[in-house]
């Protein structure tokens, strides 16, 4: 009786390493950081163990630890002390994100700094655009998002990452950047962002929960696949340089399909709820944290992700050094 002896290639660690198809590297990791106003603030996010809101006096210490771990890219989120209906602190020259970017680039120029470009944590209503009545005013929001992107580029951001899911946000930001002299700054578009149940802990960290309704009129229905292709195609046509799929673990099929169709670098966002579930399970002894996290992130790479935004980045970088 003839049958295939697949186990021959699994017989030892060295043999398994010899034929391993997918690898996770430190260069694949993008670490999210939350900066807040004030001094001597290092507050752990209750729903995200190991993740902190930091005031700028902790910036140098945090960045040094990131560089020493071999992480090369960060994405910056800001928690302002002032909010209004139009999120004007998002594009203030002296805003929290703008100051954080300036300091990072001054002290750690080797880091790639990505600026999250949205309005939700800067508005009193917590939505990602301008609210008129109970509606999110798409076209009116674009002007504010473009203004925010330009202010972040002026501060020194290497990449602009708009996460608002307004129609036309890529072309609006691309046009504004080009006109302001930033034609060289790429856009990492949150092209495929689902209205997910896995965002809760992030909203604790960024203080960006909507104060009424939800975001289902602008974020995507989790049941939809073809819509993801339409969103990606329109962002590519408008000038996107990277595509993000958010969340990651429930959307590995979308990551694979986009990778097979489009030649742009593809980013998986391993979101806060996915992170917190891993942390909670490991703290309760239900899973091996290192094994489960590495398996999940390797799965994102195998699905087609080139880069991964993940709150696990510092732990993963340590594990990869072992």
């Amino acid at each position: 009786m003839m049958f295939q002896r697949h186990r021959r290639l699994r017989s030892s660690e060295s043999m398994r390493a010899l034929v391993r198809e997918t690898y996770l590297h430190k260069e694949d990791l993008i670490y999210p950081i939350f900066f807040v106003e004030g001094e001597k603030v290092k507050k752990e996010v209750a729903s995200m163990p190991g993740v902190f809101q930091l005031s700028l006096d902790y910036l140098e210490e945090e960045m040094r630890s990131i560089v020493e771990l071999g992480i090369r890219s960060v994405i910056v989120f800001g928690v302002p002390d002032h909010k209004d209906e139009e999120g004007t602190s998002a594009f203030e020259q002296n805003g929290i994100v703008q100051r954080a970017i300036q300091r990072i680039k001054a002290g750690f120029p080797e880091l790639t700094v990505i600026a999250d470009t949205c309005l939700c944590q800067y508005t009193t209503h917590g939505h990602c655009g301008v609210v008129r009545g109970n509606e999110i005013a798409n076209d009116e929001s674009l002007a504010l998002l473009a203004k925010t992107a330009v202010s972040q580029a002026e501060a020194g951001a290497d990449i602009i990452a708009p996460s608002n899911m307004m129609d036309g946000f890529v072309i609006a930001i691309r046009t504004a950047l080009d006109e302001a002299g930033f034609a060289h700054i790429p856009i990492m578009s949150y092209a495929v962002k689902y209205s997910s149940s896995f965002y809760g802990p992030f909203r604790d960290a960024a203080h960006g929960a909507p104060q009424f309704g939800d975001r289902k009129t602008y974020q995507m229905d989790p049941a939809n696949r073809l819509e993801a292709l339409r969103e990606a195609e329109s962002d590519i046509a408008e000038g996107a340089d990277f595509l993000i799929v958010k969340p990651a673990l429930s959307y590995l099929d979308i990551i694979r399909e986009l990778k097979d169709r489009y030649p742009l670098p593809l980013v998986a966002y391993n979101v806060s709820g996915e992170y917190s579930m891993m942390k909670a399970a490991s703290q309760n002894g239900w899973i091996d944290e290192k094994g489960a996290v590495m398996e999940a992130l390797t799965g994102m790479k195998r699905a087609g992700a080139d880069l991964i935004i993940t709150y696990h980045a510092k732990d993963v970088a340590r594990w990869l050094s072992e």
Side-chain angles (χ1 to χ4, degrees), residues 204-223:
D204 292 340
H207 297 173
Q211 298 304 299
F212 70 90
D214 53 42
R215 294 175 176 154
K216 293 182 179 180
T217 64
Y218 47 101
Q219 294 178 359
M220 290 172 50
D221 185 338

Side-chain angles (χ1 to χ4, degrees), residues 34-42 53-59 96:
F34 300 94
F35 287 110
V36 299
E37 299 285 4
E39 294 182 352
K40 298 181 179 179
V41 179
K42 188 175 183 179
Q53 296 172 327
L54 300 171
S55 53
L56 293 180
D57 47 320
Y58 281 103
L59 182 147
I96 182 64

Side-chain angles (χ1 to χ4, degrees), residues 67 72 102-113 156 158:
V67 169
R72 296 186 177 183
Q102 289 168 353
R103 293 195 188 190
I104 295 170
K105 293 308 295 183
F108 304 89
E110 68 272 32
L111 281 176
T112 297
V113 178
D158 298 295

Side-chain angles (χ1 to χ4, degrees), residues 23-54:
Y23 282 89
L24 185 64
H25 304 286
K26 293 181 182 181
E27 291 82 0
D28 304 331
L29 306 173
I30 301 171
Y31 186 52
I33 311 177
F34 300 94
F35 287 110
V36 299
E37 299 285 4
E39 294 182 352
K40 298 181 179 179
V41 179
K42 188 175 183 179
K43 181 181 179 183
E44 188 171 30
V45 180
S47 55
M48 298 179 71
V51 174
F52 295 84
Q53 296 172 327
L54 300 171

